[in-house]
Amino acid sequence: MPPFLDMSDISAAANLREQYRRVRARSVALAKPLSDEDCCAQSMPDASPIKWHLAHTTWFFETFILEKFESDFSAYHPIFRVLFNSYYNGIGEKYPRAQRGLLTRPSMQLVRDYRKQVDQRIIDLLANGAPKSLSDLITTGLQHEQQHQELMLTDVKHLLSLNPLNPAYMRKPPVRRRESGALRWLSLESGVVHIGHGGSDFCFDNELPQHRQFVESFAIASRLVNNGEYLAFVNAGGYRDPALWLSEGWDWLCREELRHPLYWHREKDCEVAGWDEFTLHGLQALDWQRPVSHISFFEADAYARWAGARLPTESEWEYAAATAIAASDGNAAAEESLHPDASSDDGMSQIFDACWQWTSSSYAAYPGYVAPDGALGEYNGKFMVNQYVLRGASCITPRDHVRVSYRNFFGATARWQFSGIRLAKSLHK
Amino acid sequence: MPPFLDMSDISAAANLREQYRRVRARSVALAKPLSDEDCCAQSMPDASPIKWHLAHTTWFFETFILEKFESDFSAYHPIFRVLFNSYYNGIGEKYPRAQRGLLTRPSMQLVRDYRKQVDQRIIDLLANGAPKSLSDLITTGLQHEQQHQELMLTDVKHLLSLNPLNPAYMRKPPVRRRESGALRWLSLESGVVHIGHGGSDFCFDNELPQHRQFVESFAIASRLVNNGEYLAFVNAGGYRDPALWLSEGWDWLCREELRHPLYWHREKDCEVAGWDEFTLHGLQALDWQRPVSHISFFEADAYARWAGARLPTESEWEYAAATAIAASDGNAAAEESLHPDASSDDGMSQIFDACWQWTSSSYAAYPGYVAPDGALGEYNGKFMVNQYVLRGASCITPRDHVRVSYRNFFGATARWQFSGIRLAKSLHK
Amino acid sequence: MPPFLDMSDISAAANLREQYRRVRARSVALAKPLSDEDCCAQSMPDASPIKWHLAHTTWFFETFILEKFESDFSAYHPIFRVLFNSYYNGIGEKYPRAQRGLLTRPSMQLVRDYRKQVDQRIIDLLANGAPKSLSDLITTGLQHEQQHQELMLTDVKHLLSLNPLNPAYMRKPPVRRRESGALRWLSLESGVVHIGHGGSDFCFDNELPQHRQFVESFAIASRLVNNGEYLAFVNAGGYRDPALWLSEGWDWLCREELRHPLYWHREKDCEVAGWDEFTLHGLQALDWQRPVSHISFFEADAYARWAGARLPTESEWEYAAATAIAASDGNAAAEESLHPDASSDDGMSQIFDACWQWTSSSYAAYPGYVAPDGALGEYNGKFMVNQYVLRGASCITPRDHVRVSYRNFFGATARWQFSGIRLAKSLHK
Amino acid sequence: MPPFLDMSDISAAANLREQYRRVRARSVALAKPLSDEDCCAQSMPDASPIKWHLAHTTWFFETFILEKFESDFSAYHPIFRVLFNSYYNGIGEKYPRAQRGLLTRPSMQLVRDYRKQVDQRIIDLLANGAPKSLSDLITTGLQHEQQHQELMLTDVKHLLSLNPLNPAYMRKPPVRRRESGALRWLSLESGVVHIGHGGSDFCFDNELPQHRQFVESFAIASRLVNNGEYLAFVNAGGYRDPALWLSEGWDWLCREELRHPLYWHREKDCEVAGWDEFTLHGLQALDWQRPVSHISFFEADAYARWAGARLPTESEWEYAAATAIAASDGNAAAEESLHPDASSDDGMSQIFDACWQWTSSSYAAYPGYVAPDGALGEYNGKFMVNQYVLRGASCITPRDHVRVSYRNFFGATARWQFSGIRLAKSLHK
């Protein structure tokens, strides 16, 4: 994890430069298996084209760093300021989000050039050391880029899933090294716990300030709900019983005529046939041992109710995960495949290496939270309404991007992320 | 507040009967100033016709009590089971919510007859005492009826507000007995507090179980934000600056082209002219000393940000209000007018007698919450998503219906309730 | 039919006065079987409340006649100018069409008073004779009122149809005097025909000017398609075969999940059971001999295609009807019931007394058409797009309101009028 | 224009083969100035990606010809049958129209290969002569391809217009050889005229059968309305006066907040500044002499009303154009630019070489019209509702694709075609 380096000497700047090169190169590498056409299309307003991700993350460095630190700053292209502004009202106009797929110009080639030029200018900036004001912003930019790396994969997965040709992003099949063990309940005592990021290394503003929460006693599941367990819910009529669903979720389900998770498929006329699952490795037979993924908050909540349990709050999750991680590192993900593996551990496993885990907590500011000054203050704070927090990380999250205090968040119907279910139970009455 | 009575003797049953008569009669009285036409119309899907409220509250007693306790139960009309079912999937089919204004039949007269017959049958049931299973349900039914009494007034206010004739529900002008004093900040220490209903008297399931929360130190405002203060926000361009708004709120505001609170009016071509406010007493000049009301969560949140403060969490609110109420009763509402009065108290005032107060807390289950069995389990639990909690009560809430642990809740855009703003500030960093 | 009277003498004015009283009284009589609640509700934006019809037709006389002819004109109520303006931009602001059902004020009682006052003022105007400029406007106002009389019945039918209590507007069952005879094809020769109104008596501007059309030889059906024939289409899968439908109609049908005409009903779980039909006489067993009614243009067109025929153009219809009427009067409707009767005639029957008949003609101006000056120019001309012409009249059209040149028009999905199907065939290749 | 050749000998087949090669090659040539990204994107549901056009026109030959005539037919790819089916229910499933831009696979390269293979197979079929059943279908396929060639240009124009970079499809500026002369009114006598295609050469089914229409006397404009004239309408407040618009058009204009033609641009804060126009040659200063283009039916109709004229019916247009063409060929378009030129002719000019011309006629079947058998029967007939006929052709229509009886059609709000205004006036009263 990138520390807030003391950049008083050249060697720290060199480290940051190295890190910059590595993170930035990975974004370009992610686009390798894709054609220019693949990189230009946008499957829904929530998702963005790969090319747009590559340009927007570059825009971030240009707008928030070069414009501030270069004495002779000149924009790569004046229109890019508008085209690749995601949601920063403080920066000015934005190209309409739902039309990002129409930006056939600039070409993918030009965006690659844009990246190269900005990269060179950032490297140049770092040539003579890096004051903290600069290194902090570069670190934020790299963390931001890593967030978009995960989105690049989930967005392109959604795009490819709508294509009847079922194209695979990665040709070789997904690895499965482990078997799914029995789900165990791990109990935790009530008490005052510290929540939020406490150290001096990097975290996002929404993880601050660290503060105290009282947690009543509860139990949490050792692993995520697997496909086999979720299939039992589907087969038991889980998608047809309103008593299991939040009212708004039930209305949504009826309107959208949902009967199963986003990427599950089955031949129409064959109710008994097996299920397939669309993955970044193409269409695969549904593997009951892997964790169920691409589940909305509403589905996670309904499943939990059916299973006689509930979702954890984010305090409970962080308390339990911090306790577990103190005992072992708990995640040993190799990025060899882009689909979550099963787990047979007895302790709290699959914390960071399988799926993000829905909590029952609405995304809100911590007590004492202050948004950063300027346009970067829009990074997190303005989204703190009608979204639910996911904790942990997924099989496609960069390994140096995870933290026990990390807060991811999406609306209750979002399904295109690697989102799964870890159950909890109150021991308090 | 109605206790869970020990109904072992006739006199307790007699008390309940008396209470039943009183609460039920008030609903009918609320419809007195209105014509049958007024009582039939529905101004939006969120609001219901007065006639529908009168029938639905009766349906509640018929369906959840008479059907269970009458040995020779026979429905008043079989179709009423469908027509007046609000949202209970456990009971069966429902007439579409958005079409309630089309139910010109049954007539208002027939609905009055329906009420009379059901009332007589409930009174008969109580003739020979009331076992706890019966008295609990009747108490719930009366609490439910009181909730609808508040909705009757807010729903009809919305309906009348859309009529260019500006009709008044109550002819005489609203009373104002007090002046608006300076807003004072009241500080509270951090610590573990008990949240939720603790006594043996009635409360709704969503106030249970009582449990512990840690609250970091904070300050809370002595009174609600008044119209004068809110007008300063409007005049300062509050509705035109995206930096003040949650992202979803800003999108909503732009889409709906909002520039001021729901019931504020001003002549179009006269930017400098004074403001009027539509009230249940007809159109009135905007009184800067009264609390601002009919404010959405998004507006409350934006105002707070502009004012350098924030909304309280529901734990903070309950902690502060419980502390204040221990010192004084804090509310002396007479139902002489249907519009909130100003406040000049130094302590925490306007807890129950002015406007409901938005909190920053998403509506969620307390740890250990269990929904009741059967269809009544749908009363509260299934709405615990994408809604925000309001605490306190309003100038039109029945005086024996308020509790410090009471949790009201609406979506972030809802504006037709008497909802206002009490500010808070973190003292924790 | 009201002639354009030469109003040089008092007796002509007296006749007009008498006619005025008769037509205006019928509107009030139509509301008799209904409660004030029934008269206030609006079931969809296309339909209006009975009370609104009663007020709007009065507004027409007040705005277009009293305001012009009364030297000391003073409006009944200034807001009524806005509330009861249907669509005349030339008059000024309009209350939103979709919210007419929210106008619980003015009360039904006040609208009755409004009618009485305006009626007296019109009668007073006519006391000393009636110049042509006045009598023409009154005649137009009365024709306008008769159009709304038909809408009052179709609008209230739609409202009552949405009520699960199936209320009847008229208690006694609909009469059927005739049986459905065999459908015969009547051939007409090609040639130049005169289309449009030719006499000096009243007609609407859209029937002018009379002009020539060439009609190729064709055949037209002696009677309308009956319910039995249409049921065969339904049972043959007519609503499931896209080959029978216009593309836009098929999209509409799929979106709305339509399977049968608007007012047909059948028990859900009983595919073999008989059909009922909601009528102004309440729910009735579907009578196969009566003409199918409440059919959209899309349904009429699809049925015709299935039957190996097509809809007539409006020139064909007018040519055939004029020919038939020259031979006999062709319609003997008594307004004893509000549902169309069968026909067993051999000639062209059911011209005016059963259902309006969809033509294949888009509603357009005749060559040389000139819209009237002023706001009344908006009466017809501005609707000449994306609507289809219906010819004839229906069982609820006032008997003195029909003409062979009369052009009714609705959008291709409209189903709440008494609209049916008369088939045609080209003899030209 | 391709005749229905008598294919009894090899040389006729050779001619058809040559024509096939030429038409098919032009489609590929049209994509030349575009990147693969440009060819994949879809700007709105009404428009299709270039790649989709290239594949769909090929699918047409594969599905309607190869499948029928090849004894050992095997599909290029089974999924293509679904992916590139536009709207033929008779063929089976279709990929959702609005998602065509998501088809990043098959790649542009594979579609080029698809074209090559199908082309070879068609050429092979023609090696030994061509029976009429084959040559008729190939001719239809080529006419179909030419229709798509025009759509390729209008669709890509729409796509590029949404890009703030204002990309030009063709770099060099549009040619203007002529000046705009005075608009003259050409009078035509009333009488019976023959309408529809009469010869033995190719035409679409919707141009048949030839039949008689009576046309009252009228006058028609010698040229199309030019940008200067239309700008006068804009400046006179044409887009703000409801009296000029059809009611549905006015609602549309208000909803979409329209103030000028689709591709006109002006700096926001500069009301007096000149106008630019987006063209296939990039952004150009608005040239007042060129015909106004990309006008909806509603705008054409409103302009005509403002100008004291009206749109011609399609009979009037065809009658006038046929008369004019008998005197001169009337169009000498060279495809040197992709934007319409001005006209200074005194006779009826700009018939085929500038913009399609809206008529007042709704798109409907001619008397005696019979749709072809099979899936090709869906080609035209099912669209005959709620669309308006355009006559003539545009500056981008292939020169051998025009006919005086040709009927183009679009909905009343469509603006992305090269559609303009030719005025008419009734001389009949």
Side-chain angles (χ1 to χ4, degrees), chain B residues 272-284:
Chain B
V272 295
W275 291 85
D276 290 326
E277 183 179 17
F278 183 77
T279 75
L280 283 164
H281 304 263
L283 203 62
Q284 302 285 335

Side-chain angles (χ1 to χ4, degrees), chain A residues 33-44 51 77 79-80 82-83 93 95 99 101-109 159-160 162-165 167-168 268, chain D residues 33-44 51 77 79-80 82-83 93 95 99 101-109 159-160 162-165 167-168 268:
Chain A
L34 302 169
S35 69
D36 288 0
E37 300 175 59
D38 292 332
C39 291
C40 188
Q42 177 180 35
S43 61
M44 60 171 173
K51 183 172 72 177
H77 192 301
I79 287 281
F80 283 21
V82 173
L83 289 186
E93 268 190 287
Y95 187 75
Q99 294 182 16
L102 306 186
L103 294 173
T104 61
R105 322 278 179 97
S107 68
M108 186 66 176
Q109 190 47 50
L159 171 68
L160 298 176
L162 295 174
N163 194 315
L165 294 164
K268 250 186 224 162
Chain D
L34 302 171
S35 70
D36 287 1
E37 300 174 58
D38 292 332
C39 291
C40 188
Q42 178 180 36
S43 62
M44 61 171 171
K51 183 171 72 177
H77 192 300
I79 287 282
F80 282 22
V82 173
L83 289 186
E93 268 190 287
Y95 186 75
Q99 295 182 15
L102 306 186
L103 293 173
T104 61
R105 322 279 179 98
S107 68
M108 187 67 177
Q109 191 47 50
L159 171 67
L160 297 177
L162 295 174
N163 193 315
L165 294 165
K268 250 186 224 160

Side-chain angles (χ1 to χ4, degrees), chain B residues 24 73 156:
Chain B
R24 294 280 290 167
F73 173 81
V156 82

Side-chain angles (χ1 to χ4, degrees), chain C residues 176-184 222-224 226 289-291 330 341-350 353:
Chain C
R176 184 152 70 72
R177 300 205 178 283
R178 283 161 286 176
E179 306 218 318
S180 185
L183 187 153
R184 290 162 46 89
S222 59
R223 62 160 173 77
L224 307 192
N226 67 34
Q289 303 204 67
R290 296 183 192 269
D341 200 349
S343 163
S344 52
D345 290 1
D346 283 349
M348 184 170 168
S349 66
Q350 297 183 317
D353 57 352

Side-chain angles (χ1 to χ4, degrees), chain C residues 247, chain D residues 56-57 59-60 64 86-90 137-149 151 202-207 363 369 371-384 387 401 403 406-407 409:
Chain C
S247 180
Chain D
H56 164 69
T57 47
W59 169 94
F60 193 97
F64 292 115
S86 52
Y87 54 64
Y88 297 89
N89 294 307
L137 280 170
I138 288 180
T139 300
T140 298
L142 294 176
Q143 294 280 338
H144 171 258
E145 181 119 8
Q146 289 183 311
Q147 292 182 311
H148 279 274
Q149 287 170 357
L151 292 173
F202 177 84
C203 73
F204 284 111
D205 60 317
N206 63 6
E207 302 167 50
Y363 183 43
Y369 169 76
D373 286 335
L376 274 177
E378 301 181 54
Y379 199 100
N380 271 308
K382 73 180 183 183
F383 301 109
M384 291 175 171
Q387 312 227 38
H401 189 73
R403 272 184 306 283
Y406 200 104
R407 305 172 83 196
F409 52 90

Side-chain angles (χ1 to χ4, degrees), chain A residues 362-385:
Chain A
S362 177
Y363 183 43
Y366 284 160
Y369 169 75
V370 181
D373 287 335
L376 274 176
E378 300 181 53
Y379 200 103
N380 271 309
K382 74 180 184 182
F383 301 110
M384 291 176 173
V385 66

Side-chain angles (χ1 to χ4, degrees), chain C residues 204-207 314 359-365 369 379-390 407-410, chain D residues 360 362 388:
Chain C
F204 284 112
D205 59 318
N206 62 6
E207 302 167 50
E314 56 171 334
T359 72
S360 64
S361 299
S362 177
Y363 183 43
Y369 168 75
Y379 199 103
N380 271 308
K382 74 180 183 183
F383 301 110
M384 289 174 174
V385 65
N386 290 342
Q387 312 228 37
Y388 285 80
V389 174
L390 300 110
R407 306 173 81 195
N408 200 351
F409 52 90
F410 283 95
Chain D
S360 64
S362 176
Y388 285 81

